[in-house]
Structure formats: C-alpha cells, structure tokens
Amino acid sequence: MELGKYAHRRLVTLGALLLGIVVLYLAFADIAFAQDAAPAACGGKILENCTPNSGDTAWMLTSVALVLMMTVPGLGLFYGGMVRKKNVGDTVMTSFAVTCLITILFAAVTYSLAFRPGTPFIGGLDRMFLKDILSDIGKGGIGNPNPLAPTIPESVYICFQMTFAIITPALIAGAFAERMKFSAMLWFIGVWAIVVYAPIAHWVWGPDGIFSSGNDAAWVKVLDFAGGTVVHINAGVAGLMCAIMLGKRTDSGPAHNMVLTFIGASLLWVGWFGFNAGSAVTAGMQAGMAMLVTQIATAVAGFTWMLVEWALKGKPTVVGICSGAVAGLVAITPASGFVGPVGGFAIGVAAGVVCYWGCTGLKHMFSYDDALDCFGVHAIGGIVGALLTGVFAVEQYGGTAGALEGNVGQFFNQCIGVATVFVYDAVVSLIILFVIKMFVGLRVSSDIEREGLDLALHGEVVQ
C-alpha cells in the first residue's frame, strides 16, 4: 500500500515536471515566434514593412511645428512690422496665402519632383498627389520610409519638407512688398515653386541630384545641410528679380511697428532650431551640434550688426539687431550640420558685416528697391554661409572636411553650386515674371499704391 502511494506521488511529480517543461517550451516558443514575426526597425537598407524609430519621429514632428511657426506667424509678423501701416494686412495675408497654396502644390506634385528618384535634374512622378503613401494607422505601426529619411514615416518627412517649401517663396515677398498685385503674387509663387524650387531642391537634396552630397554619382558634391542654396539663395535671387521687374515704390517710410518685427524675429530664431537641427532627420549627435552652432552664429551676427550700425549711424536699432540675427540664421543654415562652434562664430561675424553691407551699400550702389531686404539678408547671407561651409566644414562633425582641414576642393564645389543656383533661378524667375506681366500685370496702380494695398485689395484696414 505504502509502495503504491510512493509510486503514485512520483508519477504525479514527474507529470507536473513534464507539464511545466511543456508550458515553458511553448511560452518561449511564442516569445521567439513573436520576436521573429516583429517587423525590423527602419533604417539602413531596411525600408519596407519596418518600424520607424519613435525618438526620431517625435523630434521630427516637433521640427515640423517649429518650421511651420517660422512662416505663420513668424515671417508674417517680421515683415508686417517693417511695412507701413496701410500695407500690413496685405503683407501678413501673403504669408498665410502662400502657406495654403504651397501646401496644396507640394502634396500634388512638388514633393515627388523634388524628393523622389528620377533624373539628376528632376525627380519622378510616383508620388503625385501622394499616391502609394502607406498609412501607418491600423497597420501595427509599420511603414515604408523615404530613403532620404530612413528612420521616420514618409508622412512625417513629407510634412517636414513641406514647411521648407512653404517658407522659401514666402521669403520672396520681402522684396516686392507694398506694390505687387495679389493675383500676380499667387501666379508667380505657384509657378516658381514647381519650375524653380522643385528642381533646385532635387539637385541638392534629391537621392540622385547632380549636387547631392549623398549621391555617389553626383557631378559636384555641394554641402547644404538645411537650405543655404535651396532656400535662401533661391528666395533672395527670385526676390531681386521681382524688385527689378516691379521697379521702385512711389514712396516709402520707416517700419510702422518695430515690436511686431521683434516678435517675428524671435519666433524665427526659435523656429530655426527645427529648421537646422531638424535637418539631421534624426535625434542624434549631428542634430545637437547643428542646434549649438545655430545659436552661436545667430547671437554673434545680431551683435555684430548692432555694433556696425552703431558705429556707422550712431544708434543701434531694434530692426537692425533683428535683421542681423536673421542674417546669422540664414548664413549658418547650410553649414549647421558640418561645422563646429569656431566655424559658427566666424560665420556669425561674416554674416553680420557682409549682410549689413548688402542691405545698405550694395542696394544703394545698384539702386534697386528690395523693400524688406530679401536679397540683402537671404541671398547674401546664403552665399556667405554656403561658401564658408566649404572653408570651416569639420570631417568629425559632418563627414566632409573643408579647406581648413586640407580639402580645398570643397570650397570650389560650393562656388559651383552657388553660381548654378543663382543663374538658373534668375533666368527662370525673370521668364515667369515677364509672362505674368503680359497676361495679368505685376504692379498695382499708383492710386492703389498711394491708398494702401489693404483697403484696395482686401477691403480691410489695421486699426
């Protein structure tokens, strides 16, 4: 009897042990299966049915909001404070209308032409109207990112580049402020975004662009981390063509509200961290360095402009120091992911001095009416930054050495990129303006200009 009980206990123990082993085996098998079935992280060569990096995605979502804030309300307030009171409404309306127009065009065609593979000169049409964008909703967080931004959803990358496409033509408005027809502005900006912005963005940033530093087959590798050529030289040159075609204003006056300009410049400064540090397209070391040099260059440029203006005119002004800070932001833009703090300091000094001359001496020399110094700040600042990127680039930071580290050829690459963008932009912008002048007309009548664009074009006035 006792022997039977002992055998029974041994059998139960053995059975429980076997059952435990089976349960453990099944549990670990499920875990292993789940691990095998889980989609890989996006990045490198894994670009289909993969999981985006949540940290990179969060940073890029933040950057989208920061860069959009640069146009509305930042640029609208910055420009709005510098025009006369009778034209404030038209100025802020331009920034808002451009935001709406470019969003539509970017989703329809510009994104595909600029950031998808095609030819060395222009992208393809596989993303027209954003077709074939894989929705992340209901798909378990699985996405197919653009190879240019391998760790984030393509939808986020589209939004980020859209904000760049928005602010670039909005900057042009600073050159033709207070005298261009609103209808002509819409036609010019719309056509320009497709035939000028999209090709140049593809040249410099596209996966197979002729100047793309990430394209092994590029003709010339031009360093432009966040838009010195694509955004600022591009906008500034187009602005100069508008100023030349439109001619001078019949009358002009001082900035009507420097506080609005101060608020706008401050929003631009904060938003620019998304502009520059966001262009790393990842929340990593390069983004951190881009943020640091952006802060240094901006502060140095603003302070330098203030000192130069104080020395030459006897008084430092709010509009002056704000313009200097924006000049620093512009100049550090192409260099932000490639230079260190010393380079940021040097670029800030150069921007403060050269852009001040561009907004005063150069403008007086050639007698064009660049109303809010679009060319003097953005084109000149962009050229300064692009060229000095070729000098101060540090291989340890951005992967490419500049002239100071022995790679003198990079400076000449930058010169080629700047010259090509300048010429193409100038010629095509003039053609667009000539056509619009023939069919729509460019400039408001002298009576409307005298009365103010707000009441005549929009039926509203600022109280």
Side-chain angles (χ1 to χ4, degrees):
M1 187 75 176
E2 290 295 328
L3 187 63
K5 286 182 180 180
Y6 180 71
H8 177 70
R9 285 175 188 169
R10 289 185 65 185
L11 248 132
V12 170
T13 303
L14 182 61
L17 183 62
L18 289 172
L19 181 63
I21 292 172
V22 170
V23 170
L24 285 172
Y25 172 79
L26 291 174
F28 281 112
D30 283 345
I31 292 172
F33 178 77
Q35 288 175 340
D36 290 340
C42 297
K45 294 182 179 180
I46 302 175
L47 297 172
E48 293 184 0
N49 299 322
C50 53
T51 304
N53 181 285
S54 59
D56 291 348
T57 302
W59 166 235
M60 294 310 298
L61 289 168
T62 303
S63 296
V64 168
L66 288 170
V67 181
L68 182 60
M69 183 185 72
M70 291 169 64
T71 305
V72 283
L75 187 68
L77 291 172
F78 181 70
Y79 279 169
M82 290 195 286
V83 297
R84 287 166 295 170
K85 189 175 181 181
K86 62 184 180 181
N87 297 317
V88 176
D90 180 72
T91 303
V92 297
M93 176 69 170
T94 296
S95 289
F96 210 95
V98 166
T99 300
C100 297
L101 173 63
I102 298 302
T103 297
I104 296 167
L105 293 176
F106 195 83
V109 68
T110 309
Y111 170 72
S112 191
L113 291 175
F115 299 102
R116 298 295 297 178
T119 73
F121 303 99
I122 194 70
L125 295 175
D126 64 321
R127 285 291 188 268
M128 278 189 70
F129 295 98
L130 304 185
K131 64 179 181 180
D132 298 325
I133 296 295
L134 179 67
S135 172
D136 298 321
I137 300 173
K139 300 290 184 181
I142 299 172
N144 297 333
N146 186 315
L148 296 172
T151 64
I152 64 174
E154 187 171 15
S155 57
V156 178
Y157 185 63
I158 290 168
C159 286
F160 182 66
Q161 289 297 350
M162 182 184 288
T163 59
F164 278 62
I166 287 169
I167 196 169
T168 305
L171 293 170
I172 301 172
F176 59 68
E178 302 193 296
R179 62 198 189 278
M180 192 174 194
K181 286 183 176 181
F182 190 74
S183 57
M185 179 277 295
L186 291 174
W187 276 109
F188 175 73
I189 294 300
V191 176
W192 187 90
I194 296 172
V195 302
V196 177
Y197 182 83
I200 290 177
H202 187 76
W203 296 352
V204 179
W205 290 336
D208 49 1
I210 56 173
F211 295 146
S212 176
S213 59
N215 175 20
D216 292 335
W219 296 6
V220 176
K221 293 193 175 185
V222 177
L223 300 180
D224 186 357
F225 191 70
T229 50
V230 177
V231 176
H232 298 292
I233 297 175
N234 210 3
V237 171
L240 178 62
M241 299 305 106
C242 289
I244 291 171
M245 285 290 293
L246 285 162
K248 293 185 177 182
R249 289 167 289 178
T250 54
D251 62 327
S252 59
H256 97 283
N257 192 330
M258 63 181 180
V259 175
L260 291 183
T261 297
F262 163 78
I263 295 171
S266 302
L267 290 170
L268 286 169
W269 190 336
V270 174
W272 225 287
F273 291 126
F275 201 87
N276 286 358
S279 291
V281 203
T282 181
M285 299 290 287
Q286 195 174 34
M289 183 59 75
M291 180 173 283
L292 175 60
V293 297
T294 296
Q295 177 67 17
I296 291 172
T298 305
V300 170
F303 202 76
T304 300
W305 184 301
M306 181 192 74
L307 293 178
V308 172
E309 184 181 45
W310 200 346
L312 296 178
K313 294 191 174 180
K315 294 179 181 178
T317 65
V318 173
V319 173
I321 195 171
C322 288
S323 297
V326 173
L329 290 164
V330 169
I332 196 60
T333 291
S336 53
F338 301 113
V339 304
V342 173
F345 193 99
I347 289 171
V349 172
V353 174
V354 179
C355 289
Y356 180 84
W357 168 78
C359 295
T360 53
L362 182 66
K363 185 161 67 170
H364 179 73
M365 187 187 307
F366 290 98
S367 193
Y368 55 83
D369 187 7
D370 179 7
L372 307 180
D373 294 316
C374 174
F375 182 78
V377 170
H378 294 279
I380 299 299
I383 291 170
V384 167
L387 297 183
L388 292 183
T389 300
V391 175
F392 292 101
V394 178
E395 187 174 8
Q396 180 183 350
Y397 298 148
T400 302
L404 292 182
E405 289 189 338
N407 183 17
V408 179
Q410 189 58 51
F411 176 79
F412 293 105
N413 288 356
Q414 300 299 105
C415 292
I416 292 169
V418 167
T420 306
V421 168
F422 195 109
V423 172
Y424 177 82
D425 188 4
V427 171
V428 179
S429 295
L430 281 175
I431 293 171
I432 299 170
L433 289 165
F434 272 116
V435 173
I436 294 173
K437 185 177 182 179
M438 287 172 53
F439 291 98
V440 179
L442 289 174
R443 186 165 177 162
V444 299
S445 67
S446 56
D447 290 340
I448 291 177
E449 191 173 344
R450 193 163 38 249
E451 179 185 358
L453 275 60
D454 289 3
L455 187 61
L457 300 185
H458 307 288
E460 300 172 304
V461 294
V462 174
Q463 300 295 331

